[in-house]
Short mmCIF file of all heavy atoms in Angstrom, two decimals:
data_model
loop_
_atom_site.label_atom_id
_atom_site.label_comp_id
_atom_site.label_asym_id
_atom_site.label_seq_id
_atom_site.Cartn_x
_atom_site.Cartn_y
_atom_site.Cartn_z
N ALA A 349 18.61 11.95 5.58
CA ALA A 349 18.13 12.51 4.33
C ALA A 349 16.98 13.46 4.61
O ALA A 349 16.28 13.32 5.60
CB ALA A 349 17.67 11.38 3.40
N ALA A 350 16.78 14.41 3.70
CA ALA A 350 15.73 15.40 3.90
C ALA A 350 15.04 15.79 2.61
O ALA A 350 15.68 15.89 1.55
CB ALA A 350 16.31 16.65 4.56
N GLU A 351 13.75 15.95 2.69
CA GLU A 351 12.95 16.61 1.68
C GLU A 351 12.49 17.89 2.36
O GLU A 351 11.67 17.85 3.27
CB GLU A 351 11.77 15.75 1.25
CG GLU A 351 10.68 16.50 0.48
CD GLU A 351 11.23 17.29 -0.69
OE1 GLU A 351 11.85 16.67 -1.58
OE2 GLU A 351 11.05 18.52 -0.71
N VAL A 352 13.04 19.02 1.93
CA VAL A 352 12.89 20.25 2.69
C VAL A 352 11.55 20.94 2.53
O VAL A 352 11.22 21.83 3.32
CB VAL A 352 14.01 21.25 2.34
CG1 VAL A 352 15.36 20.64 2.67
CG2 VAL A 352 13.94 21.64 0.86
N ASP A 353 10.75 20.54 1.55
CA ASP A 353 9.50 21.24 1.30
C ASP A 353 8.35 20.29 0.97
O ASP A 353 7.53 20.57 0.11
CB ASP A 353 9.68 22.27 0.18
CG ASP A 353 8.58 23.32 0.16
OD1 ASP A 353 7.95 23.55 1.20
OD2 ASP A 353 8.36 23.91 -0.92
N ASP A 354 8.30 19.17 1.67
CA ASP A 354 7.22 18.20 1.49
C ASP A 354 7.07 17.41 2.78
O ASP A 354 8.03 16.75 3.21
CB ASP A 354 7.53 17.26 0.31
CG ASP A 354 6.37 16.35 -0.04
OD1 ASP A 354 5.44 16.22 0.76
OD2 ASP A 354 6.40 15.75 -1.14
N TRP A 355 5.91 17.45 3.38
CA TRP A 355 5.68 16.81 4.67
C TRP A 355 5.42 15.31 4.58
O TRP A 355 5.34 14.64 5.59
CB TRP A 355 4.50 17.47 5.39
CG TRP A 355 3.20 17.39 4.63
CD1 TRP A 355 2.69 18.34 3.80
CD2 TRP A 355 2.28 16.31 4.63
NE1 TRP A 355 1.48 17.91 3.28
CE2 TRP A 355 1.21 16.66 3.78
CE3 TRP A 355 2.23 15.06 5.28
CZ2 TRP A 355 0.11 15.83 3.55
CZ3 TRP A 355 1.14 14.23 5.04
CH2 TRP A 355 0.11 14.61 4.19
N THR A 356 5.26 14.80 3.37
CA THR A 356 4.94 13.39 3.18
C THR A 356 5.93 12.48 3.90
O THR A 356 7.14 12.56 3.68
CB THR A 356 4.90 13.03 1.69
OG1 THR A 356 3.97 13.88 1.02
CG2 THR A 356 4.48 11.58 1.50
N LEU A 357 5.41 11.62 4.75
CA LEU A 357 6.24 10.66 5.48
C LEU A 357 6.60 9.52 4.54
O LEU A 357 5.72 8.91 3.92
CB LEU A 357 5.47 10.14 6.69
CG LEU A 357 6.24 9.40 7.78
CD1 LEU A 357 7.22 10.34 8.46
CD2 LEU A 357 5.26 8.81 8.78
N SER A 358 7.89 9.23 4.44
CA SER A 358 8.30 8.22 3.47
C SER A 358 9.55 7.47 3.90
O SER A 358 10.50 8.05 4.44
CB SER A 358 8.55 8.87 2.11
OG SER A 358 8.98 7.92 1.16
N LEU A 359 9.54 6.17 3.66
CA LEU A 359 10.71 5.32 3.86
C LEU A 359 11.35 4.97 2.51
O LEU A 359 12.20 4.08 2.45
CB LEU A 359 10.33 4.04 4.60
CG LEU A 359 9.94 4.19 6.08
CD1 LEU A 359 9.51 2.86 6.65
CD2 LEU A 359 11.10 4.76 6.89
N ARG A 360 10.96 5.67 1.48
CA ARG A 360 11.50 5.44 0.15
C ARG A 360 12.59 6.46 -0.15
O ARG A 360 12.35 7.66 -0.07
CB ARG A 360 10.39 5.52 -0.90
CG ARG A 360 9.28 4.50 -0.66
CD ARG A 360 8.07 4.78 -1.50
NE ARG A 360 7.00 3.82 -1.24
CZ ARG A 360 5.78 3.90 -1.72
NH1 ARG A 360 5.45 4.90 -2.53
NH2 ARG A 360 4.88 2.98 -1.41
N GLN A 361 13.78 5.99 -0.49
CA GLN A 361 14.90 6.89 -0.61
C GLN A 361 14.76 7.94 -1.71
O GLN A 361 15.32 9.03 -1.59
CB GLN A 361 16.21 6.11 -0.80
CG GLN A 361 16.27 5.26 -2.03
CD GLN A 361 17.61 4.53 -2.12
OE1 GLN A 361 18.66 5.12 -1.87
NE2 GLN A 361 17.56 3.25 -2.46
N TRP A 362 13.99 7.64 -2.75
CA TRP A 362 13.85 8.59 -3.85
C TRP A 362 12.98 9.78 -3.47
O TRP A 362 12.89 10.73 -4.25
CB TRP A 362 13.31 7.91 -5.11
CG TRP A 362 12.03 7.16 -4.91
CD1 TRP A 362 10.77 7.66 -4.92
CD2 TRP A 362 11.89 5.74 -4.71
NE1 TRP A 362 9.85 6.66 -4.73
CE2 TRP A 362 10.52 5.46 -4.60
CE3 TRP A 362 12.81 4.69 -4.62
CZ2 TRP A 362 10.03 4.18 -4.39
CZ3 TRP A 362 12.32 3.40 -4.41
CH2 TRP A 362 10.95 3.16 -4.30
N HIS A 363 12.38 9.74 -2.31
CA HIS A 363 11.59 10.85 -1.81
C HIS A 363 12.48 12.03 -1.39
O HIS A 363 12.03 13.17 -1.37
CB HIS A 363 10.74 10.39 -0.62
CG HIS A 363 10.03 11.48 0.11
ND1 HIS A 363 8.93 12.14 -0.39
CD2 HIS A 363 10.27 12.04 1.33
CE1 HIS A 363 8.51 13.04 0.48
NE2 HIS A 363 9.31 13.00 1.53
N TYR A 364 13.72 11.74 -1.08
CA TYR A 364 14.60 12.72 -0.48
C TYR A 364 15.63 13.27 -1.46
O TYR A 364 16.25 12.52 -2.22
CB TYR A 364 15.31 12.12 0.74
CG TYR A 364 14.35 11.60 1.77
CD1 TYR A 364 13.98 10.26 1.80
CD2 TYR A 364 13.79 12.45 2.71
CE1 TYR A 364 13.09 9.78 2.74
CE2 TYR A 364 12.89 11.99 3.66
CZ TYR A 364 12.54 10.65 3.67
OH TYR A 364 11.65 10.18 4.61
N GLN A 365 15.83 14.57 -1.40
CA GLN A 365 16.80 15.23 -2.28
C GLN A 365 18.15 15.46 -1.61
O GLN A 365 19.18 15.42 -2.27
CB GLN A 365 16.25 16.58 -2.76
CG GLN A 365 15.15 16.49 -3.80
CD GLN A 365 13.79 16.22 -3.18
OE1 GLN A 365 13.55 16.56 -2.02
NE2 GLN A 365 12.90 15.62 -3.95
N LEU A 366 18.14 15.72 -0.31
CA LEU A 366 19.36 16.03 0.41
C LEU A 366 19.83 14.84 1.21
O LEU A 366 19.04 14.15 1.86
CB LEU A 366 19.15 17.22 1.35
CG LEU A 366 18.78 18.56 0.72
CD1 LEU A 366 18.54 19.60 1.80
CD2 LEU A 366 19.88 19.03 -0.22
N TRP A 367 21.14 14.62 1.18
CA TRP A 367 21.74 13.50 1.90
C TRP A 367 23.01 13.93 2.60
O TRP A 367 23.76 14.75 2.09
CB TRP A 367 22.07 12.35 0.94
CG TRP A 367 20.86 11.70 0.37
CD1 TRP A 367 20.12 12.12 -0.69
CD2 TRP A 367 20.23 10.51 0.84
NE1 TRP A 367 19.06 11.26 -0.91
CE2 TRP A 367 19.11 10.26 0.02
CE3 TRP A 367 20.51 9.61 1.88
CZ2 TRP A 367 18.27 9.16 0.20
CZ3 TRP A 367 19.68 8.52 2.07
CH2 TRP A 367 18.57 8.31 1.24
N GLY A 368 23.23 13.38 3.79
CA GLY A 368 24.46 13.63 4.50
C GLY A 368 25.56 12.71 4.03
O GLY A 368 25.36 11.86 3.15
N GLN A 369 26.73 12.87 4.61
CA GLN A 369 27.89 12.08 4.20
C GLN A 369 27.95 10.70 4.84
O GLN A 369 28.71 9.85 4.40
CB GLN A 369 29.18 12.85 4.52
CG GLN A 369 29.63 12.79 5.98
CD GLN A 369 28.78 13.63 6.92
OE1 GLN A 369 27.93 14.41 6.49
NE2 GLN A 369 29.01 13.48 8.22
N GLY A 370 27.17 10.50 5.89
CA GLY A 370 27.12 9.21 6.55
C GLY A 370 27.99 9.13 7.80
O GLY A 370 28.99 9.84 7.92
N THR A 371 27.59 8.27 8.72
CA THR A 371 28.38 7.99 9.91
C THR A 371 28.34 6.49 10.16
O THR A 371 27.29 5.85 10.08
CB THR A 371 27.85 8.78 11.13
OG1 THR A 371 28.71 8.56 12.26
CG2 THR A 371 26.43 8.37 11.50
N GLN A 372 29.50 5.91 10.44
CA GLN A 372 29.62 4.46 10.54
C GLN A 372 29.20 3.95 11.90
O GLN A 372 29.60 4.48 12.94
CB GLN A 372 31.07 4.04 10.26
CG GLN A 372 31.31 2.53 10.35
CD GLN A 372 30.60 1.76 9.26
OE1 GLN A 372 30.60 2.19 8.10
NE2 GLN A 372 30.00 0.63 9.61
N VAL A 373 28.39 2.90 11.89
CA VAL A 373 27.99 2.20 13.11
C VAL A 373 28.44 0.75 12.98
O VAL A 373 28.10 0.07 12.02
CB VAL A 373 26.46 2.25 13.33
CG1 VAL A 373 26.05 1.34 14.49
CG2 VAL A 373 26.02 3.68 13.59
N THR A 374 29.20 0.30 13.96
CA THR A 374 29.70 -1.07 13.96
C THR A 374 29.31 -1.74 15.26
O THR A 374 29.62 -1.24 16.34
CB THR A 374 31.22 -1.11 13.79
OG1 THR A 374 31.59 -0.47 12.57
CG2 THR A 374 31.72 -2.55 13.76
N VAL A 375 28.63 -2.87 15.16
CA VAL A 375 28.18 -3.62 16.33
C VAL A 375 28.84 -4.99 16.31
O VAL A 375 28.63 -5.77 15.38
CB VAL A 375 26.66 -3.77 16.37
CG1 VAL A 375 26.23 -4.45 17.67
CG2 VAL A 375 25.99 -2.41 16.22
N SER A 376 29.62 -5.28 17.31
CA SER A 376 30.34 -6.55 17.39
C SER A 376 29.65 -7.50 18.34
O SER A 376 28.95 -7.10 19.28
CB SER A 376 31.78 -6.32 17.83
OG SER A 376 31.84 -5.72 19.11
#
């Protein structure tokens, strides 16, 4: 995810406007 014009470091998802489609990680 990306907030393209704000340097604020955040682990809160609502901080970000852009999102990718995702990639699956599976650990057995």
